[in-house]
Amino acid sequence: MKFLREKIDKIKPHFTEGGRFSKLRSVFEGFETFLFVPDTVTFRGAHIRDSIDLKRTMTVVLVALMPALLFGMWNTGYQHFRSVGVEAGFLQMFLFGLVKLLPLIIVTYVTGLGIEFIAAQIRGHEINEGFLVSGMLIPLIVPIDIPLWMLALATAFAVILGKEVFGGTGMNVLNPALTARAFLFFSYPGWMSGDKVWIEGLTQGKNVVDGFSGATPLGLLAQNQGDLLPSFRDMFIGTIPGSVGETSTLAILIGAFILIVTGIGSWKIMLSTLGGAVFMGLIFNAIGANPYMEVPFYYHLVMGGFAFGLVFMATDPVTASQTETGKWIYGFMIGLLSILIRVVNPAYPEGVMLAILLMNVFAPLIDYYVVQANIKRRLKRAAVALNTNVR
Amino acid sequence: MSTPEKEPLLSAKNLKLLTSPVGKNNPITVQVLGICSALAVTVKLKPALVMALSVTIVVAVSNVVISALRSRIPDRIRIIVQLVVIATLVIIVDQVLKAYAFDVSKQLSVFVGLIITNCILMGRLEAFAMSNSPWKSFLDGLGNGAGYGLILIIVGFFRELLGSGTVMGYPVIQKLGLYSAGYENNGMMILPPMALILVGLIIWVQRSRDKSLIENK
């Protein structure tokens, strides 16, 4: 460690103002603070210092994503071998998924971080770590068969138009990972829905077992084939076709546990989103006008990307409501809208993506009214106190 | 009339009337007028071109007519008079399109009729034609039509190329053999939100090239 510190201190002058590589200052800073706790101190006023900074926060989220990622790798292999009807062992399935998923992760990171680095140099900012999480989220919410160039394009779109034009990490209105997914969904719907893209090799028409269908639970329901739905247990554990990281509610719950225990993810948003979804699901169960509405409400919680969106997207601290009361409203509306969009408009099977993006836009408005209501209440209290004093 | 000293027809000042709306004072990207039609008719380049041409003709001619009548129009009913002139011209353009370019006219559908409500027209009449000579108003109309048209053509070009893979109906992408290389058309380009994003990108490029357009906070 000491050796590393000395090396870094030795090359540091080159990167300061007027040095040979002063243009790459923020790149250097990025790496230095990645390795060591920064030694810069505030020069006015006292600030409470905590060991949690943006980098540590992001690292915790990455750790929370690991169960879903690892399960996604295994499931990619499992679904593939199931579709071609070949027996395979656990390790074989896992390695197959690893090899298929790595290119997606690498392409996303290279594109996204590349743009972030360039943007940081142009603006003279330090490099923000925001993309560390987005870059892992994006491969987990796309089908495994997505062409890599589409993934790169969507990532670039999300980072530039979803984030950098608003001022970079912390200033974005929309969740970057979901922006990338929405871009793909509307640009290349053929690659983002249907019953082929979710399983490796199916789009290229590799030899498939007779009668095999790669449709996701939501896809089945949208086509009125609800009787083919997998069992609740399968959907909970996640041995179903779907986007890479969202199939296993169990793995996502482990992630949710990590986020809640460390205090990184807001349990209020998670709970209220769950509440909103259950509420809407119960209403549809009560109406029961078509087979889709009759699907038991608890099925909605394990189907599609609902659980993944709830734990990792809705709780994004930048795009969610900031006020505590606002979080309840924000989460509840996400849950409600997710199920509403899903059931009422099967053309958009993944309601949770649109619901979160929509509520991202409304979050500042919710905060505004919560703050205003608070000001009004306190003014009233002050007025009462004033009146009693005068008397 | 109002200009006693003889000014050459295309003096520097007059030329500026023609060029400034194309760049620094663009009706779409700077004044943010006429956005609605810019989103609606730019899925393909051809209707965008026809729309640009129609708007240019209507705004230039109505500017001349109103400018010629400006001292005779009672102030209180000027908006009605302006609307009558614009509506007449729009109906003429619509009929001409129906007669000679029926396909494009069908694609443009209601948006030709809606030129009447295009903010650029009323804006130019009120802001310029009511207080300037016919020749100057004509140049101003041409300039604003061209500025509007330029943005429409840029947006239409990219939306058609990336959304449908063609330019003016010619299958460019297919001829280049990109489809067999795995390329696919971008479905979002055909949807109106992408037109708004493209206009936003043009504004971005324009402002980064001309810093004087950036407002002070």
Side-chain angles (χ1 to χ4, degrees):
Chain A
M1 262 332 209
K2 206 173 169 203
F3 167 75
L4 210 56
R5 181 75 256 178
E6 276 167 6
K7 270 273 175 237
I8 285 175
D9 284 338
K10 203 174 158 195
I11 59 169
K12 198 168 187 172
H14 293 307
F15 291 97
T16 46
E17 203 80 48
R20 231 187 314 170
F21 305 114
S22 64
K23 279 235 170 74
L24 292 170
R25 194 171 61 237
S26 62
V27 175
F28 174 78
E29 261 174 27
F31 281 113
E32 191 195 2
T33 51
F34 189 78
L35 295 167
F36 295 100
V37 175
D39 58 351
T40 42
V41 288
T42 49
F43 48 88
R44 73 181 119 157
H47 292 260
I48 296 172
R49 274 196 68 95
D50 196 329
S51 57
I52 288 274
D53 63 358
L54 197 56
K55 272 198 182 78
R56 310 299 165 234
T57 311
M58 295 296 173
T59 319
V60 172
V61 182
L62 278 186
V63 171
L65 273 170
M66 281 305 130
L69 174 71
L70 295 177
F71 186 90
M73 284 178 181
W74 173 79
N75 194 39
T76 302
Y78 172 76
Q79 296 295 337
H80 169 77
F81 288 116
R82 200 166 69 92
S83 73
V84 294
V86 175
E87 291 284 324
F90 173 81
L91 202 64
Q92 201 180 350
M93 289 176 185
F94 183 81
L95 286 178
F96 181 87
L98 179 75
V99 170
K100 290 294 168 192
L101 193 54
L102 264 186
L104 299 190
I105 298 175
I106 293 170
V107 164
T108 313
Y109 269 121
V110 168
T111 316
L113 286 179
I115 294 169
E116 291 254 349
F117 269 59
I118 294 168
Q121 306 317 308
I122 292 174
R123 298 174 169 202
H125 286 183
E126 58 177 300
I127 296 162
N128 280 311
E129 300 78 4
F131 194 75
L132 280 182
V133 168
S134 305
M136 187 55 85
L137 285 174
I138 292 172
L140 290 183
I141 54 174
V142 295
I144 188 75
D145 252 7
I146 191 94
L148 293 176
W149 68 269
M150 285 182 192
L151 192 64
L153 189 68
T155 309
F157 178 87
V159 174
I160 297 174
L161 290 178
K163 205 157 101 175
E164 288 305 330
V165 290
F166 293 104
T169 304
M171 308 294 281
N172 45 314
V173 179
L174 300 173
N175 183 312
L178 281 181
T179 311
R181 193 180 200 279
F183 177 84
L184 285 172
F185 183 79
F186 288 106
S187 295
Y188 309 105
W191 287 97
M192 292 298 285
S193 50
D195 54 4
K196 288 206 156 53
V197 291
W198 312 103
I199 291 166
E200 200 286 321
L202 224 57
T203 42
Q204 287 129 43
K206 286 190 187 163
N207 46 338
V208 177
V209 188
D210 278 346
F212 178 84
S213 163
T216 62
L218 290 176
L220 288 171
L221 282 169
Q223 291 161 14
N224 278 325
Q225 294 177 312
D227 46 333
L228 294 175
L229 219 56
S231 69
F232 182 83
R233 192 172 153 272
D234 282 354
M235 290 195 286
F236 179 74
I237 294 174
T239 54
I240 48 169
S243 296
V244 178
E246 51 89 344
T247 57
S248 171
T249 313
L250 179 67
I252 294 163
L253 277 180
I254 300 173
F257 178 76
I258 298 175
L259 287 184
I260 292 174
V261 165
T262 52
I264 303 279
S266 161
W267 62 270
K268 286 176 189 165
I269 293 178
M270 292 191 204
L271 195 65
S272 55
T273 308
L274 191 69
V278 169
F279 177 73
M280 201 66 218
L282 283 173
I283 290 183
F284 278 134
N285 282 174
I287 301 173
N290 62 31
Y292 208 148
M293 288 191 187
E294 283 167 4
V295 173
F297 71 92
Y298 48 88
Y299 270 49
H300 280 297
L301 310 180
V302 293
M303 288 191 299
F306 178 76
F308 195 84
L310 180 156
V311 173
F312 296 110
M313 312 285 200
T315 56
D316 173 3
V318 176
T319 54
S321 275
Q322 309 292 319
T323 52
E324 297 304 309
T325 319
K327 282 177 184 168
W328 290 108
I329 304 170
Y330 168 84
F332 189 81
M333 288 306 292
I334 287 179
L336 193 146
L337 286 170
S338 301
I339 309 303
L340 183 71
I341 296 170
R342 216 180 241 190
V343 175
V344 175
N345 189 351
Y348 294 148
E350 201 40 284
V352 67
M353 167 181 87
L354 299 169
I356 295 176
L357 285 175
L358 192 66
M359 289 317 291
N360 280 171
V361 176
F362 278 103
L365 189 72
I366 296 172
D367 282 341
Y368 174 80
Y369 280 112
V370 169
V371 170
Q372 289 302 314
N374 196 34
I375 290 174
K376 253 187 213 151
R377 203 173 57 243
R378 298 191 65 155
L379 270 179
K380 229 184 222 165
R381 205 188 297 157
V384 169
L386 206 66
N387 281 341
T388 47
N389 278 349
V390 169
R391 269 182 224 143
Chain B
M1 262 179 13
S2 56
T3 46
E5 76 275 19
K6 273 278 174 228
E7 207 181 339
L9 276 183
L10 284 172
S11 64
K13 221 164 112 195
N14 283 351
L15 261 183
K16 211 161 171 253
L17 290 175
L18 200 59
T19 54
S20 121
V22 179
K24 246 179 129 62
N25 206 9
N26 192 291
I28 293 188
T29 60
V30 179
Q31 301 173 28
V32 198
L33 299 174
I35 288 285
C36 202
S37 55
L39 306 191
V41 301
T42 51
V43 174
K44 293 253 159 72
L45 186 54
K46 202 169 167 191
L49 264 173
V50 173
M51 186 71 180
L53 211 62
S54 311
V55 170
T56 310
I57 292 170
V58 174
V59 74
V61 177
S62 66
N63 257 6
V64 172
V65 173
I66 292 296
S67 171
L69 292 172
R70 71 184 187 281
S71 50
R72 304 199 184 283
I73 300 174
D75 212 29
R76 299 170 88 180
I77 58 161
R78 66 181 196 284
I79 303 276
I80 302 173
V81 176
Q82 288 165 6
L83 271 180
V84 169
V85 172
I86 298 172
T88 314
L89 288 165
V90 167
I91 290 169
I92 292 172
V93 167
D94 193 25
Q95 294 302 317
V96 169
L97 282 182
K98 276 195 180 131
Y100 294 103
F102 189 63
D103 285 343
V104 180
S105 158
K106 257 200 331 209
Q107 277 176 19
L108 288 171
S109 66
V110 296
F111 289 100
V112 176
L114 284 178
I115 294 178
I116 299 172
T117 59
N118 194 320
C119 316
I120 297 172
L121 288 147
M122 290 292 285
R124 290 335 290 171
L125 291 183
E126 275 287 294
F128 199 88
M130 285 301 283
S131 49
N132 283 288
S133 66
W135 171 243
K136 280 186 174 173
S137 301
F138 177 68
L139 290 178
D140 179 74
L142 274 189
N144 275 285
Y148 172 82
L150 180 70
I151 304 299
L152 245 66
I153 289 165
I154 296 175
V155 174
F157 173 78
F158 282 110
R159 281 183 79 188
E160 186 177 348
L161 179 67
L162 301 173
S164 316
T166 56
V167 172
M168 293 292 280
Y170 181 80
V172 181
I173 304 281
Q174 197 194 343
K175 294 281 179 210
L176 287 173
L178 284 176
Y179 287 129
S180 46
Y183 176 83
E184 275 185 41
N185 287 331
N186 189 321
M188 200 158 147
M189 280 287 169
I190 296 172
L191 305 173
M194 206 59 195
L196 195 65
I197 292 173
L198 283 178
V199 172
L201 287 176
I202 295 172
I203 293 177
W204 187 8
V205 170
Q206 195 187 8
R207 289 187 173 209
S208 58
R209 289 168 65 103
D210 185 353
K211 303 273 188 221
S212 67
L213 289 173
I214 301 172
E215 299 95 340
N216 294 323
K217 274 181 196 149

